Amino acid sequence: IAEGVGPRLPSVLAGIPTYEPGRPAPVGERPSWKLSSNENPYPPLPGVLDAAVAAAGQLNRYPDLTCAALTRALAEHWDVPMDHIAFGTGSIGLIQQLVQISAESGDEIIYAWRPFESYPIVAEISGARSIQVPLTEDEAHDLDAMADAVTDRTRLIFLCTPNNPTGRVLHRTDVVRFLDRIPEQVLVVIDEAYVEFVRDPDAVNALDMYRTRPNVVALRTFSKAYGLAGLRIGYAVAHEPVAAALRKTAVALGVSTIAQSAALASLQREDELLERVSRLVAERSRMREALLAQGWSVPDSHANYLWLRLGERSDTFAAACEAAGVMVRPFACEGVRISIGELGGTDALLRVAQDFAPR
Ligand code: PMP
């Protein structure tokens, strides 16, 4: 087919970045560790796997569009009405829908920079303008600057806590003060993909914020603490009009029966899963303390990853890690995000970090 022949696609698409997943660890004889995607290193619990396998027996049928059993379980778990819950194909699916239901071409979406990489992609696809507010010197959201950035075109604000990629959490009092400054017509999404890893007693809880505010959405996922990243299931809790709009814009039947069953089985085994999370939190402390001892400045992360602001050395550092069998996530000229995974991965990472240590 001759060049230039074919359907006419909007030229804007060419300029939009493509979502880049963390690179996999090389397969070979040498040990290697994938610390590039903030995944849970533990395989599914046996009971969760059993539920997934049993659900696979119904693969000839469409899934339950309404996710009824899981909706009921979550509504009870969080003490929220069933019609305040909406599911998506991962919370990435919901991020896309949240933009779709709130912003039209020319509207503004505010988020911190550097953000979780889906925000700019979905914002640009929608034709909305991204207003990117730099993180503070100590890698936290600048909530005052974000509130100052609101205009009459602002439709949506993403807050990410713990923040990807820096791991800093937002504090309850700061978020309340921020929300008090935001007009009720503006949707505020609090993305808590890593909330189960938080150990700061003053951290905000998105569900608490949502209960009294019709414009707040709590965004959660089964991918991280629950270890179901491969099944693609996340959920939002929001007041009925917003939740209904999310149900309407979801890809119909996009959450599989296997995902629904495994998520339900995980919820029923939450204590065991949270015990694993505690082990990962301990490993996070071990890695951070060792890096601090090497002379690095490392933000106080409450997620399952740490952030090293390496600037120009980010790609070189990531390449040295790869040579040592450790895959990390570099963001060119900014920094490197390191997931907390298997113990061997921490030790291998620390050996490389020693060579790059600032002093
Ligand atoms: N939000 C944040 C902050 C994330 O880091 C991620 C995954 N990396 C997601 C949402 C999306 O997760 P999922 O689609 O697997 O639920």
Side-chain angles (χ1 to χ4, degrees), residues 9-85:
L9 303 175
S11 57
V12 65
L13 281 176
I16 298 176
T18 304
Y19 188 94
E20 270 187 53
R23 293 181 51 214
V27 182
E29 281 166 20
R30 281 194 318 136
S32 56
W33 300 272
K34 185 181 178 212
L35 307 185
S36 53
S37 293
N38 299 344
E39 290 156 331
N40 192 318
Y42 294 103
L45 291 170
V48 174
L49 209 50
D50 289 348
V53 169
Q58 304 159 51
L59 282 180
N60 54 317
R61 302 289 179 192
Y62 284 113
D64 171 10
L65 174 87
T66 64
C67 303
L70 189 56
T71 305
R72 207 171 305 114
L74 277 175
E76 205 168 291
H77 193 71
W78 296 125
D79 191 20
V80 299
M82 284 176 60
D83 62 3
H84 285 203
I85 298 175

Side-chain angles (χ1 to χ4, degrees), residues 36-332:
S36 53
S37 293
N38 299 344
E39 290 156 331
N40 192 318
Y42 294 103
L45 291 170
V48 174
L49 209 50
D50 289 348
V53 169
Q58 304 159 51
L59 282 180
N60 54 317
R61 302 289 179 192
Y62 284 113
D64 171 10
L65 174 87
T66 64
C67 303
L70 189 56
T71 305
R72 207 171 305 114
L74 277 175
E76 205 168 291
H77 193 71
W78 296 125
D79 191 20
V80 299
M82 284 176 60
D83 62 3
H84 285 203
I85 298 175
F87 293 92
T89 50
S91 46
I92 290 182
L94 287 158
I95 288 167
Q96 190 159 343
Q97 293 163 248
L98 284 158
V99 170
Q100 206 177 350
I101 66 169
S102 60
E104 293 180 295
S105 186
D107 288 337
E108 293 171 359
I109 300 178
I110 299 176
Y111 50 84
W113 187 269
R114 152 163 299 275
F116 170 47
E117 69 178 308
S118 278
Y119 305 164
I121 296 174
V122 296
E124 284 195 48
I125 289 173
S126 75
R129 280 189 60 212
S130 283
I131 308 297
Q132 299 168 340
V133 178
L135 293 168
T136 58
E137 285 271 295
D138 57 353
E139 313 288 3
H141 281 60
D142 188 341
L143 289 178
D144 288 337
M146 291 178 84
D148 289 344
V150 171
T151 71
D152 57 6
R153 291 308 300 266
T154 306
R155 296 290 177 273
L156 176 64
I157 302 174
F158 284 111
L159 300 181
C160 186
T161 176
N163 185 45
N164 183 357
T166 64
R168 294 286 314 267
V169 276
L170 288 166
H171 288 144
R172 192 182 310 115
T173 47
D174 297 332
V175 174
V176 168
R177 200 175 331 116
F178 172 79
L179 291 172
D180 285 345
R181 288 190 60 193
I182 306 300
E184 264 190 16
Q185 296 81 349
V186 175
L187 205 55
V188 180
V189 176
I190 307 183
D191 182 345
E192 287 191 327
Y194 304 93
V195 67
E196 297 85 357
F197 297 88
V198 174
R199 292 294 181 269
D200 182 339
D202 297 325
V204 70
N205 181 299
L207 286 169
D208 290 347
M209 298 296 115
Y210 128 87
R211 286 182 203 280
T212 54
R213 295 175 194 260
N215 61 331
V216 169
V217 179
L219 190 60
R220 301 252 171 129
T221 181
F222 283 97
S223 294
K224 308 295 179 180
Y226 294 85
L228 299 180
L231 285 179
R232 316 305 307 125
I233 175 164
Y235 63 97
V237 182
H239 287 265
E240 198 276 336
V242 176
L246 290 172
R247 287 190 290 271
K248 193 174 282 191
T249 49
V251 172
L253 306 161
V255 179
S256 72
T257 305
I258 300 181
Q260 294 182 36
S261 300
L264 187 59
S266 300
L267 209 55
Q268 289 158 350
R269 291 163 182 77
E270 197 185 44
D271 290 351
E272 243 176 299
L273 291 167
L274 293 182
E275 167 58 33
R276 289 173 160 189
V277 166
S278 292
R279 275 182 257 157
L280 292 169
V281 166
E283 187 64 0
R284 173 179 79 202
S285 301
R286 181 170 89 88
M287 192 194 282
R288 179 163 185 262
E289 275 153 29
L291 287 167
L292 291 173
Q294 288 180 2
W296 293 94
S297 119
V298 191
D300 182 16
S301 169
H302 284 269
N304 64 345
Y305 49 84
L306 295 177
W307 173 247
L308 293 183
R309 190 166 281 284
L310 277 136
E312 311 244 300
R313 297 194 301 162
S314 302
D315 286 334
T316 327
F317 181 86
C321 288
E322 184 170 348
V326 187
M327 305 308 291
V328 296
R329 183 65 205 271
F331 295 94

